[in-house]
Amino acid sequence: MTPRTATLIGLTAILMWSLLSVMTVATGKIPAFQLAAMTFAIGGLVGLLTWIGRGDAAKSLRQPLVVWAVGVGGLFGYHALYFLALRFAPPAEAGLLNYLWPLLIVLFSSFLPGERLAAHHVIGAVLGLIGTVLLFAGNTSGFAPGAVPGLIAAFIAAFVWAAYSVLSRRLKAVPTDAVAGFCLATSALAALMHGALETTVWPETTLQWLSVIALGIGPVGAAFYAWDIGMKRGDIRVLGAASYATPLLSTGFLIAAGFAKASANIAIAAILIAGGGLIAAKDMVLRKR
């Protein structure tokens, strides 16, 4: 697999994650950790199904403890912190702090062996960050002292996901099949958190059940496998900068579904984020054939 192909596969994860919000809204009022437990279980099953006919795929789970710590710590740690952030802090502020992770991925990539951070990578990531700030501008609900724990959790979550993504590159020898095990372990931990903190609420309609299944197959399933391929074999700097498209596309899908309204801020954010992504991907877009 060429780096270009791996990067394109990684970009599909960004597209799938952009559907996360609209799909989550469609699941109804299922508590956060319960939804995580259900969808990560489906996501793990998606990976296990790809093992059919490959008898040696199960060997991918035989990994050192540090690999499991990175995999489960990244998937569960990030989602637990982000759910905590949304519990205490206003969604807009939490979202802004959380979306530091694309910029952090671009910056952290400079510490990887053989990687070189150029000016256009940083410029593209910063433009994406500015576009994201504009995307959330006007939607803030004010700062309250009680929101501090949530804001801290969102900030730490950004570092956790960026670290998980970049460390995946350092663990390049670990097969993507292992992500199925990380998903199942994350599901089990989320179920424990659900039992301790939440009251079970099951989907009430067929649409809600289908939305849960779709979440597990796509944004909380295939997306993590695609992201793993992109991080391990693709251009990590391009993927980091391009990740700012996630909140923009997510907002677009919410508008299309009638859950949000279009605005001038969204239009300007679209230009900045798209422009930043193109600048960061300059090497890939303009590569000589």
Side-chain angles (χ1 to χ4, degrees):
M1 182 182 297
T2 66
R4 186 186 183 91
T5 299
T7 301
L8 291 174
I9 291 174
L11 290 174
T12 66
I14 295 172
L15 178 60
M16 285 185 275
W17 285 331
S18 68
L19 292 167
L20 184 65
S21 295
V22 69
M23 285 186 175
T24 299
V25 171
T27 62
K29 298 182 179 179
I30 303 173
F33 281 109
Q34 180 189 344
L35 185 60
M38 295 170 69
T39 52
F40 271 102
I42 296 171
L45 180 60
V46 167
L48 295 182
L49 290 175
T50 67
W51 294 6
I52 296 175
R54 297 188 295 127
D56 60 342
K59 295 180 180 178
S60 65
L61 299 182
R62 299 175 186 172
Q63 300 296 334
L65 184 60
V66 66
V67 173
W68 280 93
V70 171
V72 179
L75 295 183
F76 176 74
Y78 169 76
H79 287 86
L81 285 166
Y82 190 52
F83 291 156
L84 181 65
L86 294 179
R87 180 182 292 269
F88 289 101
E93 285 88 339
L96 277 176
L97 285 173
N98 176 63
Y99 268 100
L100 285 172
W101 66 259
L103 178 60
L104 292 173
I105 286 177
V106 174
L107 297 178
F108 288 173
S109 69
S110 62
F111 296 102
L112 293 170
E115 296 291 339
R116 184 178 63 86
L117 190 62
H120 63 276
H121 295 127
V122 177
I123 292 171
V126 171
L127 283 176
L129 178 60
I130 294 172
T132 301
V133 171
L134 280 176
L135 191 64
F136 285 92
N139 294 322
T140 56
S141 53
F143 177 81
V148 171
L151 295 173
I152 293 175
F155 184 71
I156 297 174
F159 278 84
V160 169
W161 187 253
Y164 163 75
S165 299
V166 175
L167 286 173
S168 293
R169 184 65 152 235
R170 295 298 301 267
L171 301 173
K172 194 173 181 178
V174 178
T176 297
D177 286 327
V179 175
F182 304 155
C183 285
L184 293 174
T186 297
S187 174
L189 290 173
L192 290 175
M193 293 293 288
H194 166 64
L197 301 174
E198 301 172 337
T199 300
T200 301
V201 177
W202 294 109
E204 298 178 346
T205 66
T206 300
L207 176 61
Q208 290 178 1
W209 276 109
L210 290 175
S211 297
V212 170
I213 294 171
L215 268 176
I217 293 175
V220 191
F224 291 119
Y225 302 101
W227 189 247
D228 189 73
I229 292 171
M231 286 293 104
K232 288 178 177 175
R233 300 181 177 87
D235 191 322
I236 194 170
R237 301 151 303 180
V238 170
L239 288 170
S243 296
Y244 279 115
T246 305
L248 177 65
L249 291 172
S250 178
T251 302
F253 285 124
L254 287 170
I255 291 172
F259 296 121
K261 295 182 179 180
S263 69
N265 276 4
I266 293 175
I268 297 172
I271 295 172
L272 287 170
I273 292 173
L278 287 174
I279 290 172
K282 178 173 72 84
D283 294 339
M284 189 173 78
V285 174
L286 301 179
R287 182 175 296 165
K288 294 181 179 179
R289 298 181 182 278

